[in-house]
Amino acid sequence: MSTTVTPAATLSSASASIASRRSVSIATILKWLVAICVAIVAVFPIWWMFNVVFSHPGVPISINPRLYPTSLSAGLNNILTIFTETDYLRAYYVSVMYTLLTIIGILLFSSMAAFEFAQFQFPGKNLLFGIVMISLMVPKAVTIIPTYLLTVQLGWLNTMQGLVVPGLASAFGLFMLIQFMKSIPAEMIEAARLDGANHFQIYWHVAIPLSKNALITLAILTFMSTWGNYIWPLIVAPSPTMYTVGQVVGLFNAPYSHTTVDIVMTANLLAAVPPLIFFLIFQRQIVEGIAHSGTKG
Amino acid sequence: MSSLQISNAAKAYGAVPILDNINLDIASGEFVVFVGPSGCGKSTLLRMISGLEDITAGEMRLDDRVINHVDPAKRGIAMVFQSYALYPHLTVFENMAFSLTMARAPMAERKEKVERAAEILRLTHLLDRRPAQLSGGQKQRVAIGRAIVRQPKVFLFDEPLSNLDAELRVQMRAELIQLHQRLRATMIYVTHDQVEAMTLADKIVVLNGGRIQQVGRPLDLYDDPDNKFVAGFIGTPTMNFLSARVKDVAADHIVVSGLGGDTAAAGLVIPFAGFDPSIREIQLGIRPEHATIAIDPASAEGLAAKVTLVEELGDLTSVHTVLANGERLVAQNHGRRHSGAIETVVRIAADKALVFDMAGQRLRPAKA
């Protein structure tokens, strides 16, 4: 039996295919539009900072505004002004040390505790793990005052240890590493034991290298939360000698600050540079880390 | 090379007994295989020897030194795990040298020992690779190499071939035999595969339910098992067991009847000196190679059977049958194909039949 195809049928099938192609195209265009809008909202403030810093004063906000930088020398001059006339470099040092020490401390303590929780049995293990889980559910705002009072009693106001030490007990870090280290086969630990490795050597030579990905993720998330931490340094290190970058930027942005907008923007830009560089280097790991841990730090 | 003695060893997790009354003598340079079904305690016994599991009771001596409470690393024992347990972040060289690195041995010594072990195992060209870049057989050889480098008194193998495919398993089995001959080391090997046990062992230890069932040379266990469990576990296809009544007891033989529920058939004469006449019910153990399908069922004498399954392996044919009383019997034809008949007759080599009491213990003829 043969089938005759009428011109009308051909026409209707063609128009259906065009319609479906058109509907796909519209969906794609809409998606792109939304993505571009989100990208503009995210990128524009950073671009505007560049624009204001690297332009002659007043140009970006004149009657005839420019959306692109016009003067490299004006920008460099702004940066020089910030570094020479304020304690910005000291704040950088404090922030970098605060962030680095917090990352190192959290990785060290969390990984050691996680190794024990994940691979060994000890009395009170479940109770202790339960306490860790409960502490994950308590908002930081609830614990900040008692932690502050304890820090004051220890005489750690305006000190690096006051900034760093209270943040080293990371319930989130511990939880994340426990889940990861549970996947290390017990036979591997036993093999190391038979090979003569002591407890610390098993941790250092077997557990740590095998948890590298989780440790990188935790380091990234810790960097993001510590560099951007404003409240804790504000209350525990009120002395200008211990200001972090965040606090200094806060001063520039204060209502009675007499600095011009280009200087304020330069301070903001300098504060944003380390996370930007960090993000560009670790982009893939950050996205994977957020996807794996279900958090954005 | 070292000897190992285990006396009255037991293991329990709380109130749950896992192993009981384990007594074993392993001579220096011997290749001993622990074999048994899953959950029989063979791996636990191996882990007790390694020190990874505590011993609940009894004593273990390695070269006359009690090792019950000696740290695993200081027992002079190396273990090859089922999963290989190679460190994925280290190269083959670093994996094999791990114990020496932990002991802070000089680099020259590490290099010398690893290279010697690599040469024995043909791994020299793989020393820079990581475990992920190796095949299953190569990984297994690296795991063995890691054990060799430690120059242990005793090698322990925990089902090391079970992750390999059938062909590679046969090849690795041959390599292990060669390795044992070359090193002349004491080796203890755990498997649930009785073919591995038969081919590798100088001595097999059959375990079931946490107890040693029998210890002996592979063919001794095959020919002269102590009980139904050992008789059934050693040998493929497994031994046939048929219940029978003792009809007559003579000085050098017994006559049994009722085999397969065939009450009309004449009794089967089984050579057996000194049979206890008070025993009336027994079980006969017949290996499949001692049961054959009659060529002409119409005129042959034997047990009437119905064929349920035929396994043609080329050189031999296993014919699964069911007897009149529902008991199953596997017969084998060597070099002869099955005719396709459903109703058939199985002939039993009575002089090869083993006699067991109803509790499953072997009844042995009195020695002349």
Side-chain angles (χ1 to χ4, degrees), chain A residues 256-271:
Chain A
Y256 296 109
S257 162
H258 293 291
T259 42
T260 53
V261 72
D262 48 343
I263 294 293
V264 173
M265 282 297 192
T266 309
N268 283 326
L269 182 66
L270 289 174

Side-chain angles (χ1 to χ4, degrees), chain A residues 185 187-198 201-202 205-206 209-210, chain B residues 47 50-52 72-73 79 81 83 85-89 98-99 102 146 150:
Chain A
E187 283 192 344
M188 215 169 274
I189 306 287
E190 288 173 348
R193 236 180 114 193
L194 284 171
D195 275 341
N198 61 32
Q201 283 174 320
I202 296 173
H205 291 285
V206 180
L210 292 181
Chain B
R47 290 170 61 81
S50 73
L52 293 171
M79 189 156 164
F81 293 87
S83 64
L86 299 178
Y87 313 116
H89 57 291
F98 191 79
S99 59
M102 292 301 104
R146 189 169 62 179
R150 291 191 57 207

